[in-house]
Amino acid sequence: MKNLYRILLVAVLSLTTLVTTAASFTSFVLKATVDGETENIDLPLSGFPIETIGGSVGSFVLNGFATEVDESVRGVALCYAIYPKNTLNTPSFKNIQASKANTYRWEAKGVDLDLLSGLTEGTTYVLEFYLLGIDSSNEAFACNNGGDDFKVVFTYNKPVLSFNNGLTAGLSLQTDNDIMYKFLINGDCSYTPDGKLGEISTLTILGAYVDVEHKANLLLTGSLQYKVYKEGEGGPWNGIPMTRTMNGTTASTFSATDVNVDVDLSSLTDGEDYVLEVTYQLINGSEYYFLGREPAIKFTFTKKGKEVDPNYNAKYDVNDDGGINIADVNIILNWILQHQ
């Protein structure tokens, strides 16, 4: 591997003098995540215009890449540099080496390189990159957009507040017979385990938390908002205050621990299906931020009626004094219990 690395470095320095090579790249796919949106970008081998990402970029991660070649080769690497736009300095390139998937395919998976690390907010940058390979004869060959390299222009600015792309929140619930659920929620609002609570007659919110990243010196407040409704009908939101814990100057955890809030199910119809929807709400002055609005974080359940002991038998006998004489009131009691 060290020998291959030295060969790649020499190839980078001599790339501009290359005229012909034996091997060539036949495809190039780059996987990147920009502001939480992951995309596999199928790049042309040449003719790629300078791409400008509109607006500001708050997170930019290179997840990996894949490429194919037309013959067996010794190694492949992605060479990249990030530098301020309009700089007069010569870019300094780094490389990410790929692994051989089969005779003609090379891949680099799980790279997850933070391209914004060490950059200055408010500055416009250029990401420049190309593919470099070493064939079986130790000759270098490249996929470099026809000699111009691939270039992406972006401006780096962190958002005022953002929820983590990965695991970012949690929620604890309790239902009938002390059955407990602990849900782990991601930044895209997916969660585990599944949200089917089954047939229940009681529902308690035990606690919740959410982790956020933000700019310094924000006077944030947070709450867990929840509502219960029949799908398609909606309902009013209820709030549970959350306590803030600072994790440095640009990160916070909001939590509500051991709150034990009983969700009111008394007005629901037995046997009908319902939704518990939750959202994490943070407020900075007049600005509101939500995790769980789009998409929504939902849990489903069926309202269970009160059960009557089948062995229960109640009788009301009165003396023969001219009053009402009721021998068996099981039917009446059952009706009362079912309609409370």
Side-chain angles (χ1 to χ4, degrees), residues 170-174 180-182 203-210 222-226 238-244 254-263 276 278 280:
L171 178 69
S172 297
L173 302 176
Q174 181 173 298
M180 295 181 61
Y181 297 85
K182 291 187 176 181
L203 177 58
T204 302
I205 298 175
L206 301 178
Y209 73 88
V210 62
S223 65
L224 177 73
Q225 301 287 318
Y226 72 93
N238 303 276
I240 300 174
M242 305 181 82
T243 301
R244 180 185 187 184
F254 289 83
S255 59
T257 306
D258 297 327
V259 291
N260 299 325
V261 173
D262 292 325
V263 179
L276 168 68
V278 302
Y280 297 81

Side-chain angles (χ1 to χ4, degrees), residues 234-291:
W237 288 100
N238 303 276
I240 300 174
M242 305 181 82
T243 301
R244 180 185 187 184
T245 301
M246 295 286 293
N247 304 317
T249 59
T250 58
S252 298
T253 296
F254 289 83
S255 59
T257 306
D258 297 327
V259 291
N260 299 325
V261 173
D262 292 325
V263 179
D264 184 10
L265 308 181
S266 61
S267 63
L268 306 187
T269 303
D270 296 345
E272 296 287 339
D273 296 331
Y274 292 91
V275 174
L276 168 68
E277 182 177 341
V278 302
T279 185
Y280 297 81
Q281 174 183 279
L282 300 181
I283 303 175
N284 175 47
S286 61
E287 298 294 326
Y288 285 71
Y289 303 88
F290 298 97
L291 174 68

Side-chain angles (χ1 to χ4, degrees), residues 27-34 37-44 48 51 53 60-68 77-80 96 105-108 111 113 115 127-131 150-152:
S27 70
F28 182 15
V29 177
L30 193 73
K31 183 178 181 181
T33 301
V34 180
E37 296 292 332
T38 301
E39 187 175 356
N40 290 303
I41 306 166
D42 193 352
L43 293 164
F48 181 76
E51 179 73 17
I53 300 177
F60 196 173
V61 177
L62 174 61
N63 305 112
F65 66 94
T67 184
E68 293 183 342
L78 174 71
C79 303
Y80 72 96
I96 302 169
R105 182 176 177 84
W106 291 74
E107 300 174 339
V111 176
L113 175 67
L115 296 176
L127 167 64
E128 182 174 343
F129 59 95
Y130 60 88
L131 287 174
F150 300 91
K151 296 176 182 178
V152 176

Side-chain angles (χ1 to χ4, degrees), residues 169-173 181-185 191-195 197 299:
L171 178 69
S172 297
L173 302 176
Y181 297 85
K182 291 187 176 181
F183 296 98
L184 300 178
I185 303 170
Y191 59 83
T192 56
D194 71 59
L197 305 179
F299 309 90

Side-chain angles (χ1 to χ4, degrees), residues 163-181:
F163 299 97
N164 299 334
N165 293 326
L167 180 63
T168 190
L171 178 69
S172 297
L173 302 176
Q174 181 173 298
T175 62
D176 302 40
N177 301 318
D178 297 331
I179 297 176
M180 295 181 61
Y181 297 85

Side-chain angles (χ1 to χ4, degrees), residues 81-157:
I82 300 176
Y83 50 88
K85 186 180 179 182
N86 300 325
T87 184
L88 299 178
N89 298 326
T90 302
S92 176
F93 282 86
K94 300 178 181 179
N95 69 79
I96 302 169
Q97 297 187 37
S99 299
K100 190 174 184 178
N102 58 46
T103 302
Y104 303 106
R105 182 176 177 84
W106 291 74
E107 300 174 339
K109 295 182 178 180
V111 176
D112 297 336
L113 175 67
D114 183 2
L115 296 176
L116 302 183
S117 178
L119 302 188
T120 302
E121 280 195 68
T123 302
T124 298
Y125 289 92
V126 177
L127 167 64
E128 182 174 343
F129 59 95
Y130 60 88
L131 287 174
L132 183 66
I134 302 297
D135 68 12
S136 58
S137 300
N138 288 339
E139 293 290 335
F141 63 102
C143 175
N144 57 5
N145 196 29
D148 294 328
D149 290 348
F150 300 91
K151 296 176 182 178
V152 176
V153 179
F154 64 92
T155 301
Y156 171 38
N157 267 314

